[in-house]
Amino acid sequence: MASTAGKVIKCKAAVAWEAGKPLVIEEVEVAPPQAMEVRIKILFTSLCHTDVYFWEAKGQNPVFPRIFGHEAGGIVESVGEGVTGLAPGDHVLPVFTGECKDCAHCKSAESNMCDLLRINTDRSVMIGDGQSRFSINGKPIFHFVGTSTFSEYTVIHEGCVAKINPAAPLDKVCILSCGISTGLGATINVAKPPKGSTVAIFGLGAVGLAAAEGARLAGASRIIGVDLNSDRFEPARKFGCTEFVNPKEHTKPVQQVLAEMTNGGVDRSVECTGNINAMIQAFECVHDGWGVAVLVGVPHKDAEFKTHPMNFLNERTLRGTFFGNYKPRTDLPSVVEKYMSGELELDKFITHSVPFSEINTAFDLMLKGESLRCIIRMDE
């Protein structure tokens, strides 16, 4: 890798030229990293629903041509001026949000919402100089959430890169870059269910199943999965779910159904859908006096959360979380170690694997609801 340091690298990338159209494998030029940046050789990347959402460009500012991708694992190829925490050869996970370690949020033990490097879905260039590091024939190709991992090489701010154990298999731990850590941390770090408690999980997609996995690791005695698709119930058992509720199969509000099942309400709930009604139900189904509800899903921009103030006065707690309250650089290495020790199971989240040339297959699988995580092998 030393032979490429400081030079432009030509490599393959999957470029989204316009909204909703198949990605095209193109030869792109990747500029060297500038101050506080690192260039990474991506070995494995994964498709997250957030990539699909912005690729479809429904309800956001469309930015094209763009290189998507934000769940990945790779090896540092070179570093820019001022980078001290990373060196060529380091095994790393890029993360869509960062940790500068200097702002008030980074210095707080309670927050992971870095002032400098917090996710910005509209920003399509590097934060240092406002320029893209990708180009084709001299024309810029835009970045996505500071990562753009659908490229054999990418350039990322040092603060958005977590250095991990080099023995960890990158084709497994790459999925910790986003959704799995978000759901896991929402339960373990934010809901914090006591051992033996009852937890309701709203939404049994990949993030919800990770939240269920967190409840299992915490020692919850009952984990109730709530989803409108009953086909998701049986597969969710291997993530710790013990019971299930499909709101469509009940005439009563689902919060009432859950309250009757649990003698007054669940101890903890984690909402992973982004549906405002599910958010309200998740809050109203927790037990008065000690119940805690955690919101993970991102709602529609015009959505309004409405509940009676007595639900708060009766000592129910409502919390939100961002990336499961994990600080990327500080905390992700220890999450990887949970996998290495056998405490955290990741393989069951990986349902498909395709070579980079077939990246559009990963999109098709997710759009059909057939995959949790599809690993994209960059070297094929």
Side-chain angles (χ1 to χ4, degrees):
M1 292 185 181
S3 63
T4 55
K7 301 176 182 178
V8 171
I9 290 178
K10 290 185 177 181
C11 68
K12 292 179 181 178
V15 178
W17 289 100
E18 53 184 304
K21 296 296 177 67
L23 307 187
V24 180
I25 304 295
E26 305 275 14
E27 183 180 78
V28 300
E29 294 188 339
V30 184
Q34 301 303 305
M36 305 309 296
E37 298 172 1
V38 296
R39 188 161 58 184
I40 299 169
K41 179 178 175 60
I42 300 296
L43 298 181
F44 300 95
T45 187
S46 170
L47 181 64
C48 171
H49 188 266
T50 302
D51 295 305
V52 177
Y53 182 71
F54 282 89
W55 165 73
E56 291 178 317
K58 295 179 178 177
Q60 326 97 23
N61 296 322
V63 179
F64 296 94
R66 202 172 205 181
I67 297 174
F68 287 102
H70 63 284
E71 285 190 353
I75 299 175
V76 174
E77 174 268 340
S78 60
V79 303
E81 181 183 351
V83 174
T84 57
L86 295 164
D90 285 343
H91 286 222
V92 294
L93 301 181
V95 185
F96 64 90
T97 186
E99 181 185 356
C100 72
K101 296 195 174 185
D102 291 324
C103 71
H105 282 280
C106 286
K107 291 180 178 179
S108 167
E110 299 180 12
S111 175
N112 67 339
M113 301 184 72
C114 176
D115 283 332
L116 178 67
L117 299 169
R118 188 183 308 182
I119 184 173
N120 182 335
T121 56
D122 289 334
R123 187 172 61 234
S124 55
V125 292
M126 296 304 292
I127 199 169
D129 62 1
Q131 301 295 315
S132 174
R133 301 289 175 262
F134 300 108
S135 63
I136 296 178
N137 297 324
K139 296 183 179 179
I141 306 296
F142 296 110
H143 295 249
F144 177 64
V145 296
T147 52
S148 292
T149 61
F150 292 166
S151 174
E152 291 177 320
Y153 286 87
T154 189
V155 177
I156 304 176
H157 192 284
E158 177 192 26
C160 296
V161 181
K163 179 181 175 180
I164 63 167
N165 184 343
L170 291 173
D171 60 334
K172 309 293 185 184
V173 298
C174 66
I175 66 173
L176 291 173
S177 292
C178 180
I180 307 308
S181 294
T182 295
L184 187 74
T187 303
I188 293 176
N189 298 334
V190 187
K192 298 179 180 177
K195 190 171 184 178
S197 59
T198 299
V199 180
I201 307 293
F202 284 72
L204 297 177
V207 176
L209 293 174
E213 180 80 355
R216 180 187 70 80
L217 291 175
S221 60
R222 297 174 69 186
I223 304 173
I224 306 171
V226 182
D227 202 289
L228 296 172
N229 182 359
S230 297
D231 291 341
R232 290 179 161 183
F233 291 169
E234 197 56 37
R237 290 189 184 278
K238 62 183 178 181
F239 296 88
C241 288
T242 58
E243 303 159 65
F244 302 94
V245 173
N246 185 333
K248 294 191 295 186
E249 297 175 357
H250 297 271
T251 56
K252 299 176 182 178
V254 69
Q255 52 267 58
Q256 186 176 339
V257 173
L258 289 165
E260 292 174 359
M261 289 173 62
T262 56
N263 192 28
V266 298
D267 301 306
R268 302 288 188 269
S269 71
V270 184
E271 179 282 324
C272 303
T273 70
N275 180 284
I276 192 64
N277 293 321
M279 292 180 167
I280 295 168
Q281 293 161 358
F283 175 55
E284 294 182 350
C285 79
V286 299
H287 206 290
D288 57 6
W290 62 80
V292 178
V294 178
L295 305 185
V296 178
V298 179
H300 187 276
K301 62 183 177 64
D302 297 325
E304 294 182 348
F305 189 101
K306 297 180 180 180
T307 191
H308 198 283
M310 283 304 298
N311 287 317
F312 293 99
L313 296 175
N314 286 334
E315 300 184 7
R316 294 178 177 88
T317 299
L318 179 64
R319 295 199 60 184
T321 183
F322 180 71
F323 193 51
N325 204 230
Y326 285 120
K327 293 180 186 288
R329 299 162 75 186
T330 299
D331 297 331
L332 267 194
S334 63
V335 181
V336 169
E337 292 307 315
K338 286 181 183 292
Y339 171 72
M340 296 297 285
S341 69
E343 181 182 356
L344 171 62
E345 300 172 10
L346 290 180
D347 300 52
K348 58 191 177 185
F349 288 97
I350 300 170
T351 53
H352 298 81
S353 176
V354 298
F356 188 34
S357 60
E358 298 176 19
I359 189 171
N360 287 302
T361 300
F363 278 74
D364 293 339
L365 289 166
M366 182 160 283
L367 288 168
K368 293 175 183 176
E370 296 178 3
S371 69
L372 290 176
R373 281 295 181 267
C374 179
I375 302 299
I376 299 158
R377 307 184 299 274
M378 301 299 290
D379 59 350
E380 296 183 38

